[in-house]
Amino acid sequence: MALAFLFSLLAQRVPCVGEVLDADTLDRMQQREVYLREQMAKLLKEMEQCRTDARPSRFFAVRPWLIWALAVLLLFLVFRYIRDRYRERQERMFYHEMMEMWEEYERELRKPVCHGDPDDITYTSRFYPEFSIWPLKSRTQTCKVVAELVDELLNTCQIVPKSYFLPRPQPAIGVGVGFEGSGPQGCYIVYRMLVPLKAPPGHIFHLEVGPKARIGVRNSRIRVEFQCTCIREQQFQDMLCFLHHPADRLRKKQMPSLLQTLCTDCHLDMEKTAAWFQELVKAAWALMPVSNTTQLELLPSKRHCKLKLTTTSGKVLWIELLLGTQKKDSDTFLTFE
């Protein structure tokens, strides 16, 4: 562009051969020369300005890593903002659920209960020290979740390495929902389920009920006896019959019987059985995928298995597993009370 202006300027200054210039023509050429010089200076100034403006672009072109660093920083800030917003939303939802739970609890405590006589009316709060029916109407969905979780836990118990001659936990039965507690957590909801125990191979349970005069007293016991398994021994060869083999051979060839592990005399020891079941649940929980997001705490109990489950969000679920046995040919269960 600058060369074009220079050639134009020379063309105005150099006359053709044999041409005679008058005063007007010379004046016009001088004016043209001044105009071209002004345009030349303006052009040079614009070119200098363009070089100055191009320096930042050249700076980024020479350092592309800086653009990537700024992009990563921006993505990190956006991710952190979204994470903080998600945590705030989760905390608000949990707080809202807790408020709804307490409001529902207060409404149920104030709910009147009629016993047939219009003058004989009490309130639900009188019955909350004991557990209500399963599932509690206002907790149907949670009862369903608890039942599924306990079923998965008991199924996992089947694959935990253990002695062959220990009780076999059966599918759990929901028996009650209620409110308990007077510690730092205050009053909390407990979901209670019954886990029937079945006698292992070669054993049989006999329910011994105390005298009728002592009904309601913990005087019932579970007697454990050996059962002949000679036919099974011949067919499957997976165990020796406890009744028809000498003790020294059983001791060398087979695991200890239930009478040798969880019994006192010939009766099932409820405290030993509860301690064994608690260890079984603890080992099974470690194998479940839910253990990665929910912490299990076994609360002290001599006859039951009390679980406190705490999620990563801080939500707590209380479950009490009762152990018991089913009376033969009936729907009656004896619990470890």
Side-chain angles (χ1 to χ4, degrees), residues 15-194:
C16 298
V17 179
E19 184 178 358
V20 180
L21 302 176
D22 54 15
D24 293 337
T25 303
L26 184 59
D27 184 57
R28 285 196 301 272
M29 290 179 64
Q30 291 176 349
Q31 292 178 2
R32 184 65 177 177
E33 180 182 356
V34 172
Y35 171 76
L36 292 175
R37 286 179 178 177
E38 291 177 353
Q39 294 297 321
M40 188 68 176
K42 183 178 179 181
L43 179 62
L44 292 174
K45 185 177 180 180
E46 291 178 354
M47 292 175 64
E48 184 66 25
Q49 185 66 32
C50 289
R51 283 196 297 269
T52 304
D53 296 341
R55 286 176 184 174
S57 300
R58 189 169 57 207
F59 175 77
F60 285 106
V62 175
R63 297 173 176 82
W65 59 268
L66 186 58
I67 299 178
W68 287 105
L70 293 175
V72 171
L73 178 60
L74 180 60
L75 289 175
F76 172 75
L77 294 175
V78 171
F79 172 77
R80 186 172 180 178
Y81 172 78
I82 295 175
R83 184 194 63 181
D84 293 342
R85 295 284 294 179
Y86 176 76
R87 284 183 176 178
E88 292 177 1
R89 182 170 176 269
Q90 290 294 104
E91 291 175 357
R92 287 196 301 268
M93 290 177 61
F94 177 69
Y95 176 76
H96 182 68
E97 290 177 358
M98 292 296 294
M99 293 300 296
E100 286 185 345
M101 181 185 71
W102 286 114
E103 290 175 0
E104 183 66 25
Y105 166 57
E106 292 176 353
R107 285 195 297 268
E108 290 179 358
L109 290 181
R110 294 192 297 267
K111 183 179 179 180
V113 178
C114 181
H115 301 280
D117 185 354
D119 297 328
D120 184 14
I121 296 178
T122 58
Y123 292 89
T124 309
S125 57
R126 287 189 54 187
F127 303 98
Y128 267 109
E130 298 184 4
F131 284 74
S132 58
I133 61 173
W134 176 283
L136 191 65
K137 185 176 180 180
S138 60
R139 304 288 167 196
T140 304
Q141 185 61 33
T142 308
C143 289
K144 180 180 178 182
V145 173
V146 171
E148 293 176 352
L149 179 64
V150 173
D151 284 344
E152 183 180 358
L153 178 62
L154 295 178
N155 288 334
T156 308
C157 287
Q158 304 298 327
I159 63 175
V160 175
K162 57 185 181 299
S163 173
Y164 188 69
F165 302 108
L166 287 174
R168 307 294 177 90
Q170 303 302 301
I173 303 171
V175 294
V177 181
F179 293 82
E180 280 189 355
S182 57
Q185 295 85 5
C187 187
Y188 51 85
I189 300 177
V190 180
Y191 298 87
R192 175 179 276 187
M193 301 192 74
L194 170 65

Side-chain angles (χ1 to χ4, degrees), residues 88-332:
E88 292 177 1
R89 182 170 176 269
Q90 290 294 104
E91 291 175 357
R92 287 196 301 268
M93 290 177 61
F94 177 69
Y95 176 76
H96 182 68
E97 290 177 358
M98 292 296 294
M99 293 300 296
E100 286 185 345
M101 181 185 71
W102 286 114
E103 290 175 0
E104 183 66 25
Y105 166 57
E106 292 176 353
R107 285 195 297 268
E108 290 179 358
L109 290 181
R110 294 192 297 267
K111 183 179 179 180
V113 178
C114 181
H115 301 280
D117 185 354
D119 297 328
D120 184 14
I121 296 178
T122 58
Y123 292 89
T124 309
S125 57
R126 287 189 54 187
F127 303 98
Y128 267 109
E130 298 184 4
F131 284 74
S132 58
I133 61 173
W134 176 283
L136 191 65
K137 185 176 180 180
S138 60
R139 304 288 167 196
T140 304
Q141 185 61 33
T142 308
C143 289
K144 180 180 178 182
V145 173
V146 171
E148 293 176 352
L149 179 64
V150 173
D151 284 344
E152 183 180 358
L153 178 62
L154 295 178
N155 288 334
T156 308
C157 287
Q158 304 298 327
I159 63 175
V160 175
K162 57 185 181 299
S163 173
Y164 188 69
F165 302 108
L166 287 174
R168 307 294 177 90
Q170 303 302 301
I173 303 171
V175 294
V177 181
F179 293 82
E180 280 189 355
S182 57
Q185 295 85 5
C187 187
Y188 51 85
I189 300 177
V190 180
Y191 298 87
R192 175 179 276 187
M193 301 192 74
L194 170 65
V195 180
L197 297 179
K198 187 178 180 180
H203 300 74
I204 189 170
F205 288 158
H206 287 292
L207 182 60
E208 293 184 352
V209 182
K212 295 182 179 180
R214 301 187 62 192
I215 292 178
V217 182
R218 295 176 180 174
N219 62 331
S220 299
R221 298 185 300 179
I222 300 174
R223 184 180 181 87
V224 181
E225 295 180 354
F226 288 132
Q227 186 180 36
C228 179
T229 56
C230 291
I231 297 178
R232 173 172 178 162
E233 180 182 348
Q234 296 173 1
Q235 292 180 345
F236 301 103
Q237 299 182 354
D238 59 341
M239 63 173 292
L240 301 177
C241 179
F242 285 106
L243 284 175
H244 301 106
H245 286 281
D248 57 344
R249 186 183 182 190
L250 291 172
R251 186 169 52 254
K252 294 178 181 178
K253 299 290 185 178
Q254 198 158 258
M255 294 180 180
S257 68
L258 181 60
L259 285 168
Q260 296 173 296
T261 54
L262 300 181
C263 291
T264 300
D265 296 330
C266 59
H267 295 91
L268 190 64
D269 191 304
M270 296 184 178
E271 293 187 9
K272 289 182 181 179
T273 305
W276 156 78
F277 184 72
Q278 291 170 10
E279 291 299 321
L280 180 64
V281 166
K282 185 177 179 180
W285 184 264
L287 301 178
M288 296 175 58
V290 71
S291 63
N292 296 325
T293 57
T294 305
Q295 179 184 359
L296 170 68
E297 180 182 354
L298 290 172
L299 303 179
S301 179
K302 292 184 177 181
R303 294 175 177 265
H304 311 315
C305 183
K306 295 184 177 181
L307 312 179
K308 178 183 177 183
L309 306 179
T310 307
T311 64
T312 53
S313 62
K315 191 173 182 179
V316 179
L317 187 65
W318 308 79
I319 303 175
E320 184 175 10
L321 300 179
L322 306 179
L323 298 178
T325 57
Q326 187 174 8
K327 189 176 180 180
K328 187 177 181 181
D329 300 327
S330 72
D331 295 330
T332 303

